[in-house]
Amino acid sequence: MLLKSAIASVLLFSSFAFAEIKMDTIEYKEGSTTLEGVLVYNDQMRGGPGVLVVHDWMGISEDTKQKAKELAELGYVAFLADIYGKGVRAKDAKEAGELAGKYKGDRPLFRKRVLAGLETMKKQARVNKNKIAAQGYCFGGTAVLELALSGAKLQGVASFHGGLDFPSLEKDAKKITSKVLVLHGAIDPWVPVDQVNAFTKALDNAKTDYQFVSYSGAVHAFTNPGAGNDITKGAAYNEVASKRSFQALKAFYEEVLN
Amino acid sequence: MLLKSAIASVLLFSSFAFAEIKMDTIEYKEGSTTLEGVLVYNDQMRGGPGVLVVHDWMGISEDTKQKAKELAELGYVAFLADIYGKGVRAKDAKEAGELAGKYKGDRPLFRKRVLAGLETMKKQARVNKNKIAAQGYCFGGTAVLELALSGAKLQGVASFHGGLDFPSLEKDAKKITSKVLVLHGAIDPWVPVDQVNAFTKALDNAKTDYQFVSYSGAVHAFTNPGAGNDITKGAAYNEVASKRSFQALKAFYEEVLN
């Protein structure tokens, strides 16, 4: 009897600690363009709230897959959106800048691509369509904020070190229905204080429900271990800020997705 | 056997759910002035990390006692510092403004009063002297940030809707050893954006470890249910921001006091 329950405990513990996280590649379309996203989920759960994850300027990477895995371990069904198109991934910063620049320079197209990811995620049987959020990193942070500015109906968007420069900010802030969490590196040279102030002012005027968190010592890309540690480059990993921002994200989803 | 363990469970649950929170009045001195603080703790615990709680401009109130109680329920030993002196409490906003103004106008005295509270707390047998934080509300937020700026050795300070105007900010930011959490109302008319930017810039320059969180729609006093709901007055309760800031505080203490 004792042994039996010990075995049961071990099994229970195992299934929790070593939950199998699965990743399914999903092809979808935006207009005539084929995109290739990844659905990331805990195979031992029926489903859960859906979180759209938007990649940084490199495209879907090992780092964004890792972020999605962490969400799946918490019980969320994550969908890695693809903004660039099937097979289109940056091989270096130069290409990344060109790719990201294309979408930052064409916001209607940018929004269409993010929305296509959102709609594809909502069609997945595992996803609870009434509990939806989106989060993104750098370029992807800007992407999910564009999604919110488009008036898309979702419970929350979270930007990690995203750019906060939006061409139709004042006008579109009024359309936001989602709660907004911005996780920002306090000394991010790519997102200067004037941009921050203009962003929060527009959201204040629109009475958007938001939280804006600044982490000291953190620059662009602070959640990305691949970004190195040299803050003079303007982009660098910051373990403390990364952990704190993940705690803030968890609290946010506990509020908006439960 | 089953009954016995059922009883044990009930007792365990009871002791957890109805932990007796005690409040002991403690007289202490700063110079020749007698101050009257309150030690707030869970009587069923031996002790724990200490959290100094500094009142708003009214002096120690039912609201600040309630805040201390919430900390005690989490296992912290809270000490309500008294800045004004035994029996000195504001009866209205006019008196509160005069009392707070006295200390805001005499920062050396202000710091002495906060430090006296800190030292008194550290002498309490229940308090783990190696795990100390301080938090405050409005005037008290300013107080705990002055404490950090004085170079006091503690693990964390947290300001709720505190004023961020410090006469010796640039110079003293370098003395800060404590981690800093600032919980700010995004549209607080008493703490305007220029003051926020000057504050964070000084902390950036000093390489202080801080987190700065802004809550949309929140003005001064947003954690105080007694402040009413009229944001046009500049001070008002905001239940959502109050709850979110308490979650942020809990995460902060889990990091710095554990």
Side-chain angles (χ1 to χ4, degrees), chain A residues 45-229:
Chain A
M45 293 175 72
R46 274 168 184 257
V51 180
L52 191 75
V53 179
V54 184
H55 56 75
D56 63 17
W57 69 347
M58 298 299 286
I60 293 173
S61 63
E62 285 311 309
D63 180 53
T64 38
K65 283 181 185 167
Q66 181 57 34
K67 307 290 203 241
K69 227 176 128 182
E70 285 163 10
L71 291 171
E73 280 162 0
L74 292 175
Y76 299 110
V77 181
F79 182 61
L80 278 165
D82 173 19
I83 307 297
Y84 292 164
K86 184 175 177 179
V88 184
R89 302 287 181 263
K91 67 172 191 296
D92 55 28
K94 186 174 169 287
E95 269 191 22
E98 284 164 8
L99 278 166
K102 175 181 166 187
Y103 295 92
K104 284 192 173 177
D106 185 349
R107 299 293 172 127
L109 177 63
F110 197 9
R111 287 187 183 184
K112 277 186 200 165
R113 290 287 165 91
V114 192
L115 263 168
L118 183 71
E119 293 310 317
T120 302
M121 180 173 83
K122 285 163 81 175
K123 281 183 202 143
Q124 306 306 313
R126 288 182 179 273
V127 171
N128 175 349
K129 285 144 203 68
N130 299 313
K131 300 284 180 186
I132 298 286
Q135 69 187 57
Y137 300 85
C138 300
F139 169 78
T142 309
V144 300
L145 290 169
E146 279 288 1
L147 185 67
L149 286 163
S150 77
K153 298 277 177 290
L154 69 173
Q155 277 63 56
V157 302
S159 164
F160 291 84
H161 39 80
L164 301 175
D165 182 23
F166 301 95
S168 57
L169 176 61
E170 292 286 341
K171 189 170 115 278
D172 288 350
K174 293 174 189 73
K175 294 186 198 161
I176 299 175
T177 62
S178 165
K179 292 178 183 180
V180 174
L181 176 67
V182 180
L183 304 158
H184 169 69
I187 56 169
D188 185 339
W190 296 5
V191 187
V193 68
D194 289 348
Q195 201 177 97
V196 169
N197 291 341
F199 177 79
T200 55
K201 195 177 171 188
L203 268 54
D204 289 335
N205 289 341
K207 300 196 191 312
T208 306
D209 182 327
Y210 76 86
Q211 299 171 73
F212 194 103
V213 191
S214 285
Y215 297 104
S216 65
V219 291
H220 216 62
F222 67 78
T223 65
N224 186 350
N229 293 307

Side-chain angles (χ1 to χ4, degrees), chain B residues 135-192:
Chain B
Q135 68 187 57
Y137 301 86
C138 300
F139 169 79
T142 309
V144 300
L145 290 169
E146 279 289 359
L147 185 68
L149 286 162
S150 78
K153 298 277 177 291
L154 68 173
Q155 278 62 55
V157 302
S159 164
F160 291 84
H161 38 80
L164 302 175
D165 181 24
F166 302 95
S168 58
L169 177 62
E170 291 286 340
K171 190 167 116 280
D172 288 350
K174 293 175 187 71
K175 295 185 196 163
I176 299 175
T177 62
S178 165
K179 293 179 183 178
V180 174
L181 175 67
V182 180
L183 305 157
H184 170 69
I187 55 169
D188 185 339
W190 297 5
V191 187

Side-chain angles (χ1 to χ4, degrees), chain B residues 15 23 43 68 100 122 125-126 131 157 168 179 216 220 222 232 241:
Chain B
S15 70
M23 299 203 182
D43 196 31
K122 285 164 81 174
R126 288 180 179 274
K131 302 284 180 188
V157 302
S168 58
K179 293 179 183 178
S216 65
H220 215 61
F222 67 77
T232 66

Side-chain angles (χ1 to χ4, degrees), chain B residues 18-69:
Chain B
F18 307 107
E20 198 179 345
I21 304 301
K22 291 220 169 171
M23 299 203 182
D24 298 345
T25 300
I26 294 178
E27 275 195 14
Y28 61 107
K29 292 263 187 184
E30 184 285 301
S32 59
T33 306
T34 302
L35 305 160
E36 193 179 76
V38 186
L39 192 73
V40 185
Y41 55 94
N42 179 340
D43 196 31
Q44 286 156 347
M45 293 176 73
R46 273 166 186 260
V51 179
L52 192 74
V53 179
V54 185
H55 56 74
D56 63 17
W57 69 345
M58 297 300 285
I60 292 172
S61 64
E62 285 311 308
D63 180 54
T64 38
K65 283 181 184 167
Q66 180 57 34
K67 307 290 204 241
K69 229 178 124 180

